[in-house]
Amino acid sequence: MSRTILTKRKPYKQLILLTIIVSLISFLSVLLFTMPALWENLDLSNTSSIGDTIGGITAPILGIISIVLLYITLNRQIDSINDQKLKNESDIIFMLLNQLENEYNQIYMSGTTNKEPQRFYGHEALTKYTNSVFKHYTAKDKKWSTYYISDSILLVIRSFKLVQRRIELSNLDKNLKSMFSDKLQTFFQMKLRDSIYKLSDLFSREPSLEDEYTRELTEFYNSLNK
């Protein structure tokens, strides 16, 4: 805590010291310019001409310094704006990725273990479901969209496509876009690919299940396995 107080006091000490130095220089400059000079041309003892002389000498220098400082300030503002845009774009994509992960973890499936009812979530639920998916569809009059788990799976697929599109439309540089795309592709390979393949294979074997849900899932799988 004492270090924090010292660091806060230090800028104030520097400001006070700078003010004192500038005040002394201003006072001494008045004395210097009003002293008799060795050469008549440099004699500024006539106080009426001091202001014009100092202004004429310092105005161009101050103007150039002001332009340089303005240029530096504008460049820093542009860099700051670009950094903020980059941060905002990255934050949006990270937020969408987190949302995708949360929706994936909310997939659930009811089952039994040793005759005890249980509910499975996320990767475990999706894996168990797709490994036994052929056992679930014996009634030919039912479409896949009528089963509760289909909405959860389609929600993840649509969120995945949303993240994919957001990365494509972002103003990020190629390297960052590639990194985000690789992360998204890894998510598909690790958590979706096998399960989506099994469902797509089921739909090709059981045409009676076909509906808008099955077509969307199959198109999604095919688009990532070209």
Side-chain angles (χ1 to χ4, degrees):
M1 187 168 182
S2 60
R3 289 184 179 179
T4 305
I5 295 173
L6 287 174
T7 54
K8 288 182 178 179
R9 287 179 179 174
K10 190 173 180 181
Y12 291 108
K13 289 182 178 179
Q14 292 177 346
L15 181 60
I16 293 170
L17 181 62
L18 181 63
T19 304
I20 293 172
I21 293 172
V22 171
S23 300
L24 287 174
I25 291 174
S26 300
F27 179 74
L28 291 174
S29 63
V30 173
L31 295 177
L32 178 65
F33 286 122
T34 54
M35 290 177 62
L38 296 176
W39 293 279
E40 184 178 355
N41 290 334
L42 297 178
D43 187 6
L44 299 176
S45 57
N46 183 8
T47 56
S48 61
S49 62
I50 293 178
D52 293 338
T53 303
I54 296 175
I57 295 172
T58 58
I61 298 173
L62 293 176
I64 294 172
I65 293 174
S66 299
I67 292 172
V68 171
L69 292 175
L70 179 61
Y71 175 78
I72 293 172
T73 302
L74 289 176
N75 275 342
R76 288 186 176 179
Q77 287 181 345
I78 292 171
D79 291 339
S80 178
I81 291 170
N82 290 335
D83 290 341
Q84 188 61 43
K85 285 182 179 179
L86 177 63
K87 182 180 181 301
N88 291 341
E89 289 281 357
S90 300
D91 287 346
I92 290 172
I93 295 174
F94 275 123
M95 180 190 69
L96 292 174
L97 286 169
N98 288 333
Q99 181 179 335
L100 173 64
E101 185 74 34
N102 290 334
E103 290 170 355
Y104 179 83
N105 291 331
Q106 289 173 6
I107 296 174
Y108 73 91
M109 174 187 174
S110 300
T112 57
T113 302
N114 298 326
K115 298 183 179 180
E116 292 286 336
Q118 283 192 334
R119 179 171 283 191
F120 306 99
Y121 290 90
H123 186 70
E124 186 179 14
L126 187 59
T127 302
K128 284 181 177 293
Y129 171 71
T130 53
N131 284 342
S132 59
V133 72
F134 284 97
K135 300 176 183 178
H136 295 278
Y137 303 104
T138 56
K140 301 296 183 182
D141 57 336
K142 274 192 163 185
K143 300 296 184 182
W144 186 61
S145 58
T146 61
Y147 294 89
Y148 69 89
I149 200 170
S150 63
D151 287 309
S152 299
I153 295 173
L154 259 293
L155 178 63
V156 171
I157 288 174
R158 288 165 183 171
S159 294
F160 185 99
K161 292 193 290 187
L162 177 63
V163 180
Q164 189 178 42
R165 185 61 176 158
R166 190 66 185 84
I167 293 172
E168 292 173 359
L169 295 176
S170 68
N171 293 323
L172 301 173
D173 59 54
K174 291 182 179 179
N175 290 332
L176 273 177
K177 277 189 178 183
S178 178
M179 290 172 68
F180 277 121
S181 296
D182 290 344
K183 182 177 176 63
L184 192 62
Q185 184 66 25
T186 302
F187 179 92
F188 173 77
Q189 294 291 341
M190 292 181 63
K191 299 187 176 184
L192 289 176
R193 187 176 183 277
D194 290 342
S195 297
I196 298 299
Y197 165 74
K198 289 172 183 176
L199 288 174
S200 179
D201 183 58
L202 168 67
F203 301 151
S204 66
R205 294 170 181 265
E206 294 290 342
S208 61
L209 294 171
E210 184 178 351
D211 59 10
E212 58 184 18
Y213 275 32
T214 63
R215 287 192 291 271
E216 184 175 348
L217 183 143
T218 302
E219 289 174 2
F220 170 74
Y221 177 78
N222 292 335
S223 68
L224 293 172
N225 284 275
K226 292 181 180 179

